[in-house]
Amino acid sequence: MLYPDRFEYARPRNLGSALELISKVRNHLVIAGGTVGVLMLKRRALRPEIVVDVARIPELGGISLGGSGASSIGATTRISELERAAASSASPSSSLLSAAARAVGDVALRSMGTVGGNVSLGDPSNDLPPALMVLDAVAVIAGPGGVRRQPLRSLYRGPLSTAIGPDELLLRVEFREAPARSSWYYGKRTIRSLDHSVASAAALGSVVDGSPVDLRMALGGRAFAAPRALDLEDLRGTRPPAFVDEVVARAKSACSCTSDAYGTAAYKSAVVESLVEDALSTLGVRAR
Ligand SMILES: Cc1cc2nc3c(=O)[nH]c(=O)nc-3n(C[C@H](O)[C@H](O)[C@H](O)COP(=O)(O)OP(=O)(O)OC[C@H]3O[C@@H](n4cnc5c(N)ncnc54)[C@H](O)[C@@H]3O)c2cc1C
């Protein structure tokens, strides 16, 4: 059994108090569901002066999917809540999010873990960021200077590194619903269940007669340093098989495929290739 070092614990009642606390005490740890944060404390990988539990701050809660305006998922929404809410709508955006939420760990983890923790951690293996990236989601972030909006596509800087500052909190993610006829894909490859994924892929778009129209794809997993949206804009009008070859080539070059506990560089590269091909064929893009 591992025990954390001593720390103070605070559960602020509102956003203002939470922001004040995290800007006053530099050595703090924000937790929401605590599925990762508490492990870090127990392993003494982190020794904060104070743990700031944001799970009950009203400004970070709430979920609204599929309305006529922007869909919004509050940071403290549990993954299981997202899974349920998204499953009750048949829209492509909700179906994609429901699949990505279902891919997170197991039932216990999804009941505790939050969307905000999943998005803020910056772990390339987390399931929600690639799905939110293809929805062109925006992170709404509060800090000492007020509230700012940052596209998820530019949120991730490297392993466990994001553009959310130490004195900032993620409030929610927002996105516009994808067109009703869009096709979607979410898939991941792990070595064992509950392992970090070697690679994951989310894709969204429409395909007409085997050719892609407005296709978006984002990748994650330990084959990548950070969740990564592929830039495919300039491939509009490129038809298969050239399209498939080019997307695979871009995915493999985005991969930081080094050899480690998750496999050799060659293995990771092969996993990325097969996942991207699977995504494209599921969306109906002709391979050859
Ligand atoms: C055994 C195991 C298996 C796992 N499997 C998966 C998996 O398959 N897929 C997957 O995606 N994840 C997985 N995870 C990771 C994790 O459980 C999820 O990502 C979960 O959603 C994290 O949410 P949380 O609320 O528990 O985060 P916490 O542990 O509370 O926080 C995680 C990080 O996010 C920060 N944070 C939390 N909320 C905010 C906020 N509002 N603003 C700013 N920063 C914030 C915290 O400071 C901390 O650095 C796994 C974890 C474990 C332990």
Side-chain angles (χ1 to χ4, degrees):
M1 185 66 177
L2 299 168
Y3 295 99
D5 215 346
R6 293 179 72 84
F7 58 83
E8 296 283 316
Y9 173 80
R11 187 187 276 166
R13 287 174 182 275
N14 57 51
L15 180 62
S17 318
L19 289 175
E20 198 182 319
L21 201 52
I22 63 173
S23 60
K24 200 165 81 189
V25 187
R26 278 208 83 70
N27 183 19
H28 65 263
L29 172 68
V30 168
I31 60 163
T35 57
V36 176
V38 171
L39 266 187
M40 293 298 156
L41 290 171
K42 284 182 160 184
R43 289 181 183 157
R44 300 196 178 194
L46 299 172
R47 293 168 185 243
E49 218 173 287
I50 187 163
V51 169
V52 182
D53 182 347
V54 298
R56 298 196 190 170
I57 297 179
E59 293 94 328
L60 274 64
I63 177 166
S64 141
L65 298 178
S68 50
S71 288
S72 165
I73 310 170
T76 54
T77 304
R78 306 281 167 179
I79 307 275
S80 54
E81 217 180 320
L82 169 63
E83 190 187 345
R84 272 195 305 276
S88 67
S89 155
S91 77
S93 311
S94 288
S95 303
L96 167 62
L97 282 175
S98 175
R102 258 196 326 275
V104 175
D106 58 13
V107 173
L109 203 86
R110 295 197 290 276
S111 306
M112 288 177 70
T114 64
V115 171
N118 201 288
V119 168
S120 306
L121 184 61
D123 186 325
S125 297
N126 280 0
D127 288 291
L128 297 183
L132 288 164
M133 279 175 168
V134 297
L135 290 169
D136 261 344
V138 169
V140 183
I141 299 164
V147 174
R148 66 184 182 88
R149 300 168 64 81
Q150 173 135 11
L152 247 73
R153 283 167 174 256
S154 61
L155 191 72
Y156 299 102
R157 306 232 154 124
L160 302 181
S161 169
T162 74
I164 303 173
D167 52 1
E168 292 185 316
L169 287 173
L170 176 71
L171 296 181
R172 59 185 178 276
V173 287
E174 289 182 357
F175 58 91
R176 299 234 155 240
E177 287 288 312
R181 285 166 179 254
S182 309
S183 305
W184 60 272
Y185 172 90
Y186 187 77
K188 74 186 211 182
R189 303 279 187 270
T190 54
I191 295 173
R192 296 166 306 188
S193 70
L194 281 187
D195 262 359
H196 294 285
S197 59
V198 176
S200 60
L204 183 77
S206 51
V207 175
V208 177
D209 294 334
S211 288
V213 184
D214 186 27
L215 201 85
R216 295 183 210 151
M217 184 178 285
L219 302 161
R222 290 298 158 106
F224 299 87
R228 182 80 190 264
L230 289 184
D231 198 356
L232 303 179
E233 284 279 309
D234 61 317
L235 292 184
R236 275 172 192 252
T238 307
R239 298 177 65 83
F243 180 84
V244 177
D245 293 343
E246 187 55 32
V247 178
V248 167
R250 288 183 190 191
K252 285 166 89 170
S253 81
C255 168
S256 39
C257 290
T258 49
S259 300
D260 60 18
Y262 291 88
T264 62
Y267 168 75
K268 288 184 192 167
S269 181
V271 170
V272 169
E273 178 169 350
S274 95
L275 195 60
V276 169
E277 286 177 351
D278 188 31
L280 293 176
S281 80
T282 303
L283 260 57
V285 177
R286 254 194 320 264
R288 298 282 156 213

